[in-house]
Amino acid sequence: MKILSLIMIVLGMAVSGSSIAQDQEEFNSGGLETIRGATNIDETRKAEALKRVHKDRNPIARNYVHQPPVVPHQTRGYRVDKNSNKCLTCHGWKYAAETGATKVSLTHFETRDGKVLSDVSPRRYFCSQCHVTQADARPLVENTFKPVDSLMNND
Ligand code: HEC
Ligand code: HEC
């Protein structure tokens, strides 16, 4: 009985050893470069340095009609939580005229089933879920994308 269990243990070790070798092969990118470089899947790649966000500038042209416009100013430290929403202190209808910020559009008052509320709808409350700040960065993948013709002069 003792010998049998010993054999089982040795066999088990052999099997698990070979499956580790197999796994390592699966993790190997084979030299193929993806957006995260030629890093193997089981390796943690060093994070890229943070990009410098544009300081205040005029609105940035949109590329298609329903694009959430990108944020042309810094937003560091702008709190958006259950109790307060820093973005709305400028972009809310109440303050927009005074601050010179674009008013949030009517779509931001609509609920999921098309009801229009008297204040920003919960689904449009967390602004940075859709609106991102911009940095001067090289495109990750080269492309020849051009905005639709009707938006070309939006600069
Ligand atoms: C201190 C006031 C202020 C605060 C706070 C603020 N913004 Fe702005 N925002 C502006 C102004 C001013 C503009 C530029 C408007 C212009 O030049 O036409 C702008 C522009 C924008 C635009 C571009 C609009 C367009 O038509 O392209 C977006 C998107 C935006 N802000 C999102 C945000 C978000 C999201 C937050 C919160 C994280 C935020 N803003 C907080 C003042 C503010
Ligand atoms: C679920 C995504 C989403 C969220 C969340 C969201 N937005 Fe938008 N936003 C959009 C889209 C899409 C557009 C462009 C089309 C439109 O007006 O609906 C837009 C347009 C805008 C514009 C330009 C309006 C105009 O008249 O051109 C401003 C300013 C803006 N959003 C600010 C905000 C602020 C401030 C918040 C947070 C209170 C917010 N958004 C939350 C998707 C979103």
Side-chain angles (χ1 to χ4, degrees):
M1 194 57 193
K2 260 194 186 154
I3 290 176
L4 188 63
S5 52
L6 192 67
I7 290 172
M8 296 290 274
I9 289 169
V10 171
L11 261 179
M13 277 160 68
V15 168
S16 67
S18 76
S19 81
I20 286 172
Q22 198 183 352
D23 282 353
Q24 269 165 358
E25 213 155 273
E26 280 167 23
F27 290 147
N28 192 334
S29 73
L32 190 68
E33 281 224 22
T34 62
I35 289 173
R36 68 195 287 273
T39 320
N40 289 340
I41 296 166
D42 60 338
E43 284 168 20
T44 307
R45 185 168 175 263
K46 212 171 142 247
E48 297 276 345
L50 287 180
K51 304 240 167 16
R52 200 182 285 235
V53 168
H54 287 160
K55 269 224 170 123
D56 299 359
R57 52 162 70 186
N58 288 330
I60 299 163
R62 301 182 202 183
N63 293 319
Y64 55 94
V65 181
H66 279 290
Q67 179 196 325
V70 293
V71 186
H73 56 71
Q74 289 183 329
T75 56
R76 184 177 290 247
Y78 286 1
R79 254 181 112 114
V80 175
D81 59 26
K82 185 162 70 73
N83 303 318
S84 65
N85 184 319
K86 178 74 179 171
C87 314
L88 286 176
T89 63
C90 288
H91 289 280
W93 284 33
K94 206 167 158 186
Y95 309 104
E98 177 191 325
T99 59
T102 327
K103 281 193 290 198
V104 292
S105 51
L106 281 171
T107 57
H108 292 48
F109 295 82
E110 282 170 21
T111 61
R112 197 178 300 164
D113 27 59
K115 251 199 241 147
V116 180
L117 307 178
S118 58
D119 206 344
V120 169
S121 165
R123 70 177 187 148
R124 290 273 166 118
Y125 184 80
F126 293 101
C127 319
S128 49
Q129 215 179 309
C130 304
H131 298 282
V132 293
T133 47
Q134 282 299 284
D136 271 322
R138 254 183 335 118
L140 292 172
V141 176
E142 220 180 82
N143 70 78
T144 53
F145 178 85
K146 282 207 172 64
V148 288
D149 220 31
S150 54
L151 293 179
M152 283 286 250
N153 288 326
N154 197 14
D155 265 342

